[in-house]
PDB file of all heavy atoms in Angstrom:
ATOM      1  N   GLY A   9     132.361  61.668 143.899  1.00  0.00           N
ATOM      2  CA  GLY A   9     133.417  61.582 144.893  1.00  0.00           C
ATOM      3  C   GLY A   9     134.652  62.351 144.540  1.00  0.00           C
ATOM      4  O   GLY A   9     134.641  63.268 143.635  1.00  0.00           O
ATOM      5  N   PRO A  10     135.766  61.963 145.197  1.00  0.00           N
ATOM      6  CA  PRO A  10     136.971  62.741 145.099  1.00  0.00           C
ATOM      7  C   PRO A  10     137.598  62.789 143.712  1.00  0.00           C
ATOM      8  O   PRO A  10     137.493  61.826 142.955  1.00  0.00           O
ATOM      9  CB  PRO A  10     137.931  62.065 146.076  1.00  0.00           C
ATOM     10  CG  PRO A  10     137.402  60.607 146.217  1.00  0.00           C
ATOM     11  CD  PRO A  10     135.886  60.827 146.085  1.00  0.00           C
ATOM     12  N   ASN A  11     138.121  63.983 143.426  1.00  0.00           N
ATOM     13  CA  ASN A  11     138.895  64.215 142.156  1.00  0.00           C
ATOM     14  C   ASN A  11     137.988  64.349 140.898  1.00  0.00           C
ATOM     15  O   ASN A  11     138.462  64.687 139.808  1.00  0.00           O
ATOM     16  CB  ASN A  11     140.025  63.189 141.915  1.00  0.00           C
ATOM     17  CG  ASN A  11     141.028  63.195 143.005  1.00  0.00           C
ATOM     18  OD1 ASN A  11     141.529  64.309 143.393  1.00  0.00           O
ATOM     19  ND2 ASN A  11     141.289  62.069 143.622  1.00  0.00           N
ATOM     20  N   LEU A  12     136.737  64.128 141.077  1.00  0.00           N
ATOM     21  CA  LEU A  12     135.783  64.261 139.961  1.00  0.00           C
ATOM     22  C   LEU A  12     135.568  65.670 139.597  1.00  0.00           C
ATOM     23  O   LEU A  12     135.124  65.996 138.480  1.00  0.00           O
ATOM     24  CB  LEU A  12     134.542  63.440 140.172  1.00  0.00           C
ATOM     25  CG  LEU A  12     134.811  61.962 140.334  1.00  0.00           C
ATOM     26  CD1 LEU A  12     133.560  61.211 140.743  1.00  0.00           C
ATOM     27  CD2 LEU A  12     135.290  61.370 138.983  1.00  0.00           C
ATOM     28  N   ARG A  18     141.780  66.010 134.258  1.00  0.00           N
ATOM     29  CA  ARG A  18     142.363  64.822 134.967  1.00  0.00           C
ATOM     30  C   ARG A  18     142.480  63.642 133.995  1.00  0.00           C
ATOM     31  O   ARG A  18     141.439  63.137 133.578  1.00  0.00           O
ATOM     32  CB  ARG A  18     141.506  64.541 136.073  1.00  0.00           C
ATOM     33  CG  ARG A  18     141.813  63.328 136.818  1.00  0.00           C
ATOM     34  CD  ARG A  18     140.725  62.810 137.802  1.00  0.00           C
ATOM     35  NE  ARG A  18     141.137  61.712 138.535  1.00  0.00           N
ATOM     36  CZ  ARG A  18     140.393  60.805 139.088  1.00  0.00           C
ATOM     37  NH1 ARG A  18     139.026  60.982 139.096  1.00  0.00           N
ATOM     38  NH2 ARG A  18     140.834  59.817 139.767  1.00  0.00           N
ATOM     39  N   ASN A  74     129.005  58.154 141.840  1.00  0.00           N
ATOM     40  CA  ASN A  74     130.341  57.800 141.440  1.00  0.00           C
ATOM     41  C   ASN A  74     131.251  58.029 142.605  1.00  0.00           C
ATOM     42  O   ASN A  74     131.648  59.170 142.895  1.00  0.00           O
ATOM     43  CB  ASN A  74     130.849  58.572 140.197  1.00  0.00           C
ATOM     44  CG  ASN A  74     132.232  58.121 139.743  1.00  0.00           C
ATOM     45  OD1 ASN A  74     132.902  57.334 140.489  1.00  0.00           O
ATOM     46  ND2 ASN A  74     132.646  58.528 138.537  1.00  0.00           N
ATOM     47  N   PRO A  75     131.602  56.980 143.368  1.00  0.00           N
ATOM     48  CA  PRO A  75     132.328  57.232 144.644  1.00  0.00           C
ATOM     49  C   PRO A  75     133.831  57.490 144.400  1.00  0.00           C
ATOM     50  O   PRO A  75     134.567  57.682 145.324  1.00  0.00           O
ATOM     51  CB  PRO A  75     132.110  55.935 145.367  1.00  0.00           C
ATOM     52  CG  PRO A  75     131.122  55.135 144.636  1.00  0.00           C
ATOM     53  CD  PRO A  75     131.163  55.634 143.177  1.00  0.00           C
ATOM     54  N   GLY A  76     134.201  57.476 143.077  1.00  0.00           N
ATOM     55  CA  GLY A  76     135.693  57.713 142.820  1.00  0.00           C
ATOM     56  C   GLY A  76     136.488  56.670 143.624  1.00  0.00           C
ATOM     57  O   GLY A  76     136.106  55.509 143.697  1.00  0.00           O
ATOM     58  N   ALA A  77     137.645  57.125 144.070  1.00  0.00           N
ATOM     59  CA  ALA A  77     138.593  56.149 144.738  1.00  0.00           C
ATOM     60  C   ALA A  77     137.951  55.552 145.971  1.00  0.00           C
ATOM     61  O   ALA A  77     138.355  54.481 146.460  1.00  0.00           O
ATOM     62  CB  ALA A  77     139.916  56.885 145.086  1.00  0.00           C
ATOM     63  N   TYR A  78     136.938  56.320 146.578  1.00  0.00           N
ATOM     64  CA  TYR A  78     136.284  55.686 147.790  1.00  0.00           C
ATOM     65  C   TYR A  78     135.551  54.370 147.508  1.00  0.00           C
ATOM     66  O   TYR A  78     135.286  53.628 148.437  1.00  0.00           O
ATOM     67  CB  TYR A  78     135.380  56.736 148.469  1.00  0.00           C
ATOM     68  CG  TYR A  78     136.061  57.840 149.121  1.00  0.00           C
ATOM     69  CD1 TYR A  78     135.600  59.193 149.018  1.00  0.00           C
ATOM     70  CD2 TYR A  78     137.237  57.652 149.845  1.00  0.00           C
ATOM     71  CE1 TYR A  78     136.196  60.241 149.588  1.00  0.00           C
ATOM     72  CE2 TYR A  78     137.871  58.715 150.490  1.00  0.00           C
ATOM     73  CZ  TYR A  78     137.321  59.986 150.308  1.00  0.00           C
ATOM     74  OH  TYR A  78     138.004  61.020 150.911  1.00  0.00           O
ATOM     75  N   THR A  79     135.297  54.178 146.258  1.00  0.00           N
ATOM     76  CA  THR A  79     134.701  52.888 145.773  1.00  0.00           C
ATOM     77  C   THR A  79     135.476  51.716 146.380  1.00  0.00           C
ATOM     78  O   THR A  79     134.872  50.746 146.867  1.00  0.00           O
ATOM     79  CB  THR A  79     134.788  52.719 144.296  1.00  0.00           C
ATOM     80  OG1 THR A  79     134.202  53.825 143.678  1.00  0.00           O
ATOM     81  CG2 THR A  79     134.187  51.389 143.773  1.00  0.00           C
ATOM     82  N   HIS A  80     136.835  51.871 146.382  1.00  0.00           N
ATOM     83  CA  HIS A  80     137.694  50.747 146.667  1.00  0.00           C
ATOM     84  C   HIS A  80     138.175  50.711 148.120  1.00  0.00           C
ATOM     85  O   HIS A  80     138.964  49.871 148.537  1.00  0.00           O
ATOM     86  CB  HIS A  80     138.925  50.791 145.745  1.00  0.00           C
ATOM     87  CG  HIS A  80     138.580  51.184 144.341  1.00  0.00           C
ATOM     88  ND1 HIS A  80     137.802  50.448 143.598  1.00  0.00           N
ATOM     89  CD2 HIS A  80     138.905  52.266 143.620  1.00  0.00           C
ATOM     90  CE1 HIS A  80     137.606  51.024 142.416  1.00  0.00           C
ATOM     91  NE2 HIS A  80     138.286  52.171 142.370  1.00  0.00           N
ATOM     92  N   THR A  81     137.725  51.768 148.914  1.00  0.00           N
ATOM     93  CA  THR A  81     138.210  51.874 150.301  1.00  0.00           C
ATOM     94  C   THR A  81     137.171  52.131 151.371  1.00  0.00           C
ATOM     95  O   THR A  81     137.440  51.866 152.525  1.00  0.00           O
ATOM     96  CB  THR A  81     139.222  53.080 150.387  1.00  0.00           C
ATOM     97  OG1 THR A  81     138.481  54.255 150.144  1.00  0.00           O
ATOM     98  CG2 THR A  81     140.416  52.897 149.415  1.00  0.00           C
ATOM     99  N   SER A  82     135.952  52.560 151.010  1.00  0.00           N
ATOM    100  CA  SER A  82     135.083  53.163 152.010  1.00  0.00           C
ATOM    101  C   SER A  82     133.972  52.245 152.552  1.00  0.00           C
ATOM    102  O   SER A  82     132.925  52.150 151.907  1.00  0.00           O
ATOM    103  CB  SER A  82     134.475  54.458 151.475  1.00  0.00           C
ATOM    104  OG  SER A  82     133.691  55.056 152.513  1.00  0.00           O
ATOM    105  N   HIS A 100     130.792  54.391 137.025  1.00  0.00           N
ATOM    106  CA  HIS A 100     132.176  54.762 136.816  1.00  0.00           C
ATOM    107  C   HIS A 100     132.399  55.181 135.358  1.00  0.00           C
ATOM    108  O   HIS A 100     131.863  54.505 134.462  1.00  0.00           O
ATOM    109  CB  HIS A 100     133.104  53.634 137.216  1.00  0.00           C
ATOM    110  CG  HIS A 100     132.986  53.195 138.587  1.00  0.00           C
ATOM    111  ND1 HIS A 100     133.533  53.905 139.573  1.00  0.00           N
ATOM    112  CD2 HIS A 100     132.275  52.198 139.152  1.00  0.00           C
ATOM    113  CE1 HIS A 100     133.229  53.360 140.785  1.00  0.00           C
ATOM    114  NE2 HIS A 100     132.501  52.278 140.549  1.00  0.00           N
ATOM    115  N   PHE A 110     143.654  46.754 142.230  1.00  0.00           N
ATOM    116  CA  PHE A 110     143.149  47.420 143.391  1.00  0.00           C
ATOM    117  C   PHE A 110     141.759  48.108 143.035  1.00  0.00           C
ATOM    118  O   PHE A 110     140.980  48.453 143.921  1.00  0.00           O
ATOM    119  CB  PHE A 110     144.071  48.376 144.060  1.00  0.00           C
ATOM    120  CG  PHE A 110     144.393  49.559 143.278  1.00  0.00           C
ATOM    121  CD1 PHE A 110     143.559  50.783 143.312  1.00  0.00           C
ATOM    122  CD2 PHE A 110     145.536  49.653 142.496  1.00  0.00           C
ATOM    123  CE1 PHE A 110     143.902  51.922 142.608  1.00  0.00           C
ATOM    124  CE2 PHE A 110     145.879  50.787 141.733  1.00  0.00           C
ATOM    125  CZ  PHE A 110     145.055  51.979 141.838  1.00  0.00           C
ATOM    126  N   ARG A 111     141.498  48.296 141.772  1.00  0.00           N
ATOM    127  CA  ARG A 111     140.165  48.929 141.390  1.00  0.00           C
ATOM    128  C   ARG A 111     139.073  47.880 141.156  1.00  0.00           C
ATOM    129  O   ARG A 111     137.952  48.266 140.849  1.00  0.00           O
ATOM    130  CB  ARG A 111     140.385  49.787 140.147  1.00  0.00           C
ATOM    131  CG  ARG A 111     141.277  50.984 140.319  1.00  0.00           C
ATOM    132  CD  ARG A 111     141.287  51.901 139.072  1.00  0.00           C
ATOM    133  NE  ARG A 111     142.440  52.714 139.080  1.00  0.00           N
ATOM    134  CZ  ARG A 111     142.648  53.842 139.697  1.00  0.00           C
ATOM    135  NH1 ARG A 111     141.680  54.395 140.424  1.00  0.00           N
ATOM    136  NH2 ARG A 111     143.760  54.512 139.598  1.00  0.00           N
ATOM    137  N   HIS A 113     137.812  45.657 143.161  1.00  0.00           N
ATOM    138  CA  HIS A 113     136.808  45.483 144.252  1.00  0.00           C
ATOM    139  C   HIS A 113     136.067  46.759 144.621  1.00  0.00           C
ATOM    140  O   HIS A 113     136.627  47.857 144.734  1.00  0.00           O
ATOM    141  CB  HIS A 113     137.529  44.978 145.490  1.00  0.00           C
ATOM    142  CG  HIS A 113     136.599  44.797 146.626  1.00  0.00           C
ATOM    143  ND1 HIS A 113     136.515  45.725 147.691  1.00  0.00           N
ATOM    144  CD2 HIS A 113     135.616  43.830 146.857  1.00  0.00           C
ATOM    145  CE1 HIS A 113     135.606  45.298 148.510  1.00  0.00           C
ATOM    146  NE2 HIS A 113     135.003  44.197 148.064  1.00  0.00           N
ATOM    147  N   TYR A 115     133.477  48.332 147.399  1.00  0.00           N
ATOM    148  CA  TYR A 115     132.725  48.196 148.674  1.00  0.00           C
ATOM    149  C   TYR A 115     131.234  48.573 148.500  1.00  0.00           C
ATOM    150  O   TYR A 115     130.396  48.209 149.276  1.00  0.00           O
ATOM    151  CB  TYR A 115     133.353  49.079 149.764  1.00  0.00           C
ATOM    152  CG  TYR A 115     134.570  48.455 150.438  1.00  0.00           C
ATOM    153  CD1 TYR A 115     135.888  48.829 150.061  1.00  0.00           C
ATOM    154  CD2 TYR A 115     134.370  47.523 151.449  1.00  0.00           C
ATOM    155  CE1 TYR A 115     136.952  48.240 150.690  1.00  0.00           C
ATOM    156  CE2 TYR A 115     135.528  46.925 152.011  1.00  0.00           C
ATOM    157  CZ  TYR A 115     136.770  47.322 151.643  1.00  0.00           C
ATOM    158  OH  TYR A 115     137.873  46.724 152.255  1.00  0.00           O
TER     159      TYR A 115
END
Side-chain angles (χ1 to χ4, degrees):
N11 299 308
L12 295 170
R18 176 192 183 202
N74 182 347
Y78 290 140
T79 306
H80 320 298
T81 64
S82 183
H100 299 282
F110 67 85
R111 295 187 202 276
H113 177 257
Y115 278 100

